[in-house]
Amino acid sequence: MHPEDLAEKLTMAGLEVESIDSIGTCLEGLITGKIESISPHPNADKLVITSVSDGKNSHQIVTGAKNINVGDIIPLSLPGSVVASGMKLKQTSLRGIDSFGMLCSEAECGITEESDGIWILPSDTPIGVDFIEYAILKDSVLDVAILPNRGDCQSIWGLAREIAAITGETLSLPKVSVSSSDIKHSYSVQSQSPHCPLYIGRYISSIKNAPTPLWMKRRLELCGIRPISLIVDVTNYVLLETGHPLHAFDDAKCSSKSISIIESTKEHSVTTLDSQKRLCQDGQLLICENNTPVALAGIMGAENTEVSTETSTIFLEAAYFTPHIIRRSSTLSGLRTDSSIRFEKGTNIETTDLASQRAAMLLQELGQATVSDHVISYKNNSHELFKEKSFPFNINQLNSFLGSNYSENSIKTLLHTLGFSIKNNKISIPSWRREDIDDWPCIAEEIA
């Protein structure tokens, strides 16, 4: 389906697409290559002659790049290919030496407007592959305006569910599986606030903080998030996927391992990850370790437990915070983040643990991490969000209300795709819509 057609369908379904950003439209023919040799140019001190392999053939390319070495894997543009500026590559001669292509920078690949040198790719990048597809250099990014009552659509998974219902396609989400080990730790958690009915903590150790894979970096960048390090990038990636924010604390900086969720008083202050010292107001939600604030709950972590490229063990937080407390705290702090925006509109409480598991799985796959099977949690079982929400379901009533004549099968198929379950003339509301769907007219709106 063309992006414009999808945008039209989403907009007509109530998810307004404000813009479509088409990237890499000019690019053609870029592949990956490996530098086999570098030799001086006989007629120019500032140029060198390289031999670059595409896995099958070697190509002589003259370049003035200063940041390349033998063995580097780079984007390669051969004669006939087109770079981001729209220039079509031709065989040329530079100071008497034939050159059969170009070693590309991030600017020539359309990633940035300017770059200092050739784009040196990770050492495990395959050679000779279509780099435009491999690095997601050509794509369309839809900017979707999410209504305040549709927090479930602040994620790739949520939007995919809606698109499946709109188009009649099958929803397919990644399988989440974590291999846990019998590793002990001393973390504990308690909540002193009704605004945190669920808190889950995972102890993840032996993380090899390797470079974030290119595919993950590119997906983050296309969504407007700057890649930082593997641990941070994984939590941000899961935020975009599932719509559920996570936070990683550096275990080495947590002295007591005693986590508590409290409502602040004016005596509390916290220096957040943006290096700003923030004086807390009464009632703001804080995450504390050994009675010391280590995060503005649901908004931003504190510097005193910040992870870095040296971090190898983390305590991974996944929690549910009520929307209004995060909205108030965010306003009082003058701080809106990707995390707070999602909590403000409401996250899916039943995705909390799934998001934690997804991040743990990615850290295992990408950083060879070890995940403890000793998961700590706090759960307020009496909270309304843990109770099933359902009400009577009547096809005739819905059709009469809408002035329509939809078949029972078509209505049930649509609602099942959206996550609703129907049994014995009752419809059960999925966890991600319990704060949004109040009665049967809401169901009619979904059908319409």
Side-chain angles (χ1 to χ4, degrees):
M1 182 180 294
H2 291 295
E4 291 77 12
D5 295 334
L6 177 58
E8 174 69 14
K9 288 181 178 295
L10 283 169
T11 298
M12 295 307 295
L15 294 163
E16 182 184 357
V17 177
E18 296 188 328
S19 65
I20 303 175
D21 185 14
S22 298
I23 61 170
T25 53
C26 294
L27 294 173
E28 291 181 20
L30 272 64
I31 61 173
T32 54
K34 185 174 184 177
I35 299 176
E36 297 177 306
S37 66
I38 303 174
S39 57
H41 193 294
N43 305 318
D45 293 339
K46 293 185 178 180
L47 298 176
V48 294
I49 304 169
T50 66
S51 176
V52 183
S53 171
D54 63 9
K56 296 179 180 179
N57 303 301
S58 295
H59 308 272
Q60 178 176 286
I61 296 174
V62 179
T63 179
K66 304 295 184 184
N67 68 319
I68 57 173
N69 294 287
V70 173
D72 285 345
I73 300 175
I74 43 80
L76 177 61
S77 180
L78 298 175
S81 59
V82 181
V83 294
S85 65
M87 179 178 68
K88 188 173 185 177
L89 267 289
K90 300 178 181 179
Q91 177 186 340
T92 188
S93 178
L94 295 173
R95 301 295 293 270
I97 302 295
D98 288 337
S99 182
F100 301 88
M102 176 192 291
L103 313 183
C104 296
S105 66
E106 292 186 354
E108 274 118 18
C109 293
I111 301 298
T112 59
E113 292 186 4
E114 297 181 359
S115 52
D116 295 329
I118 303 304
W119 189 357
I120 309 301
L121 304 175
S123 60
D124 60 352
T125 304
I127 300 170
V129 298
D130 180 343
F131 190 62
I132 296 173
E133 180 179 351
Y134 183 83
I136 322 176
L137 299 180
K138 183 180 288 189
D139 209 343
S140 295
V141 179
L142 277 61
D143 186 0
V144 185
I146 307 299
L147 296 171
N149 66 318
R150 292 306 305 272
D152 61 298
C153 288
Q154 294 186 112
S155 69
I156 298 298
W157 290 7
L159 284 174
R161 185 183 296 110
E162 293 292 314
I163 292 169
I166 293 168
T167 61
E169 298 291 336
T170 301
L171 177 66
S172 179
L173 301 178
K175 292 183 179 179
V176 179
S177 177
V178 180
S179 300
S180 56
S181 303
D182 184 19
I183 294 178
K184 303 301 180 185
H185 60 81
S186 56
Y187 280 94
S188 62
V189 63
Q190 60 175 336
S191 175
Q192 299 174 18
S193 171
H195 300 297
C196 177
L198 180 64
Y199 189 100
I200 295 170
R202 275 189 165 80
Y203 181 78
I204 305 176
S205 59
S206 303
I207 304 169
K208 293 182 180 178
N209 223 327
T212 302
L214 184 59
W215 60 265
M216 182 176 285
K217 280 185 173 182
R218 288 293 297 137
R219 290 176 182 178
L220 290 172
E221 288 168 343
L222 290 174
C223 291
I225 294 180
R226 179 175 61 89
I228 297 173
S229 67
L230 180 63
I231 295 172
V232 176
D233 293 347
V234 163
T235 59
N236 282 332
Y237 188 78
V238 173
L239 164 81
L240 294 173
E241 269 195 334
T242 68
H244 204 98
L246 303 171
H247 186 67
F249 299 98
D250 188 329
D251 171 70
K253 299 174 183 176
C254 297
S255 56
S256 74
K257 320 299 185 191
S258 177
I259 304 296
S260 58
I261 302 99
I262 69 167
E263 293 181 27
S264 70
T265 63
K266 290 184 179 179
E267 287 74 31
H268 289 105
S269 67
V270 57
T271 301
T272 45
L273 291 172
D274 57 1
S275 299
Q276 298 294 311
K277 183 176 181 180
R278 302 179 186 277
L279 298 177
C280 300
Q281 304 296 312
D282 286 344
Q284 284 186 270
L285 211 57
L286 295 176
I287 309 298
C288 293
E289 195 267 338
N290 196 23
N291 298 318
T292 300
V294 290
L296 275 174
I299 302 174
M300 185 179 283
E303 276 190 341
N304 54 9
T305 51
E306 181 180 8
V307 300
S308 69
T309 54
E310 305 301 318
T311 302
S312 61
T313 303
I314 62 170
F315 177 75
L316 182 67
E317 169 190 284
Y320 179 90
F321 305 115
T322 55
H324 72 276
I325 194 72
I326 301 301
R327 191 179 305 115
R328 177 177 180 274
S329 182
S330 178
T331 301
L332 290 172
S333 301
L335 184 61
R336 292 196 85 216
T337 62
D338 288 310
S339 176
S340 69
I341 288 169
R342 283 161 176 82
F343 280 123
E344 284 176 17
K345 289 185 178 180
T347 59
N348 178 11
I349 199 165
E350 291 188 9
T351 305
T352 308
D353 190 41
L354 181 64
S356 175
Q357 291 184 54
R358 175 65 170 158
M361 172 181 160
L362 288 170
L363 287 172
Q364 282 187 324
E365 291 180 353
L366 306 176
Q368 291 77 58
T370 301
V371 180
S372 172
D373 60 5
H374 180 207
V375 180
I376 67 163
S377 65
Y378 166 82
K379 184 178 182 182
N380 178 1
N381 288 299
S382 63
H383 196 279
E384 285 297 316
L385 287 176
F386 293 119
K387 300 175 183 177
E388 184 180 280
K389 187 175 184 179
S390 63
F391 37 78
F393 178 78
N394 186 306
I395 296 289
N396 293 330
Q397 182 185 45
L398 292 168
N399 273 321
S400 176
F401 182 74
L402 292 171
S404 59
N405 191 32
Y406 297 123
S407 69
E408 181 176 351
N409 183 61
S410 64
I411 288 179
K412 286 185 174 181
T413 298
L414 170 69
L415 293 174
H416 281 139
T417 305
L418 290 172
F420 298 88
S421 60
I422 301 164
K423 188 176 181 180
N424 298 328
N425 296 320
K426 291 189 73 176
I427 184 166
S428 296
I429 312 306
S431 58
W432 56 89
R433 300 299 300 275
R434 285 177 192 162
E435 293 185 276
D436 170 39
I437 302 292
D438 291 323
D439 209 339
W440 67 265
C442 298
I443 302 299
E445 184 179 3
E446 291 300 305
I447 296 166

